Amino acid sequence: MAKTLQKFSGRVLLVGCGNMAGAMLDRWLAEGLDPAQVAIVDPFAVPREGIAHFASLADWIGQDGGAEWVMLGMKPQQLGDVASDLAPVVRGDTHLLSILAGVSLADLSARFPDARAQVRILPNLAARIGAGVSAVASLGDADDAAVTSLLKPLGTVVALADDGTMDLVTAFTGSGPAFVFRLIESYAAAGERLGLSADDALRLATATFGGSTALLDGSGEKPGVLVAQVASKGGTTQAGLDVLDEGGQLVALMTNVLRAARDRGRELADIARGGN
């Protein structure tokens, strides 16, 4: 079977290659992206065979200095320093991609006005196995087909008309895997507290969450319909649901979780703009 990125054209620069950007890159390489097309600027990034690795933008500019695809994957607080070095070499044929939490398309356009397009992408860690979610919005003359070809190997792609809801999407899908992992961890811890071994509790919790989400995804049903298929009046499941549903506490908790993550994204955006 042909790999989807074997014919992808253009040089790719990753400025910052931590967990998320690294997961995206590894998936792209698995889908046939030529390592010779890629350069990484990150003094702490894990070396990858065949990929040029630079400790600083100055080193990259001095030895190479050209890329049709530039992805920002460092911390949002570093945007000012990065832009001062990078903006002069971002040309009219460059797509400026960003996975920076809280940094808007308007911010990117102001920092990199000469880019062909500014593209804001919010992926999540499941991109590593091609099961992620990537929300995307852009300004300028973006090559939508090429952008999509980069994102589809990562999983589901959701195109947004603008980036007005991106701070919430960052919390909802970008941070979401961590929240799900914590729920699984807590579910397993509860099982252990009630008598299961730690290993059995984690295995059962992982399989229960995984099977349930797979069933939901494949059934086409709303979650409530499947809840009703599991629970019976006066049964064990309903007894547990009564605790979960009491006073709307679970929805309230998740709303607070998402609000906190969303608001932190906005705070990071203010810092990236040079605010307090």
Side-chain angles (χ1 to χ4, degrees):
M1 177 184 263
K3 296 184 177 181
T4 58
L5 293 177
Q6 283 181 323
K7 296 183 179 180
F8 186 82
S9 62
R11 293 167 294 175
V12 180
L13 171 69
L14 274 65
V15 183
C17 192
N19 289 333
M20 189 64 252
M24 296 170 71
L25 175 59
D26 289 341
R27 184 64 182 170
W28 290 337
L29 295 172
E31 283 297 318
L33 182 65
D34 185 351
Q37 293 175 249
V38 182
I40 295 172
V41 173
D42 186 333
F44 307 109
V46 175
R48 289 166 171 84
E49 186 176 356
I51 292 179
H53 187 187
F54 300 91
S56 69
L57 276 167
D59 291 341
W60 172 73
I61 292 168
Q63 295 187 43
D64 187 347
E68 290 73 39
W69 298 86
V70 175
M71 188 170 83
L72 305 180
M74 69 288 174
K75 294 182 184 301
Q77 301 94 311
Q78 297 175 297
L79 178 60
D81 292 338
V82 166
S84 64
D85 291 332
L86 183 61
V89 296
V90 170
R91 310 180 304 262
D93 63 345
T94 302
H95 281 74
L96 193 285
L97 313 177
S98 170
I99 61 171
L100 306 184
V103 177
S104 70
L105 287 172
D107 295 331
L108 295 172
S109 181
R111 300 278 190 177
F112 303 96
D114 295 330
R116 171 177 171 177
Q118 298 84 18
V119 183
R120 190 175 176 191
I121 303 165
L122 291 177
N124 65 22
L125 196 58
R128 180 183 293 162
I129 59 170
V133 180
S134 297
V136 59
S138 64
L139 282 178
D141 181 27
D143 184 339
D144 292 333
V147 172
T148 299
S149 73
L150 274 177
L151 297 183
K152 281 190 73 66
L154 308 180
T156 300
V157 180
V158 178
L160 303 178
D162 57 52
D163 67 338
T165 60
M166 280 287 198
D167 290 330
L168 177 57
V169 173
T170 300
F172 203 80
T173 61
S175 302
F179 304 149
V180 173
F181 297 148
R182 183 69 85 215
L183 288 171
I184 294 171
E185 185 178 53
S186 299
Y187 198 69
E192 184 181 357
R193 184 174 294 180
L194 292 172
L196 293 172
S197 71
D199 287 345
D200 286 346
L202 183 57
R203 289 178 61 198
L204 288 166
T206 301
T208 299
F209 274 72
S212 299
T213 55
L215 176 60
L216 176 62
D217 186 51
S219 69
E221 300 283 7
K222 298 291 186 182
V225 172
L226 297 179
V227 168
Q229 291 177 12
V230 179
S232 57
K233 186 176 181 179
T236 58
T237 304
Q238 189 59 52
L241 288 170
D242 289 344
V243 176
L244 282 176
D245 297 340
E246 184 178 358
Q249 61 184 348
L250 186 58
V251 174
L253 172 63
M254 296 312 302
T255 301
N256 289 336
V257 167
L258 292 172
R259 182 184 293 114
R262 179 202 65 187
D263 292 351
R264 179 55 179 162
R266 292 173 176 174
E267 291 170 1
L268 291 173
D270 289 339
I271 294 171
R273 295 188 196 103
N276 296 322

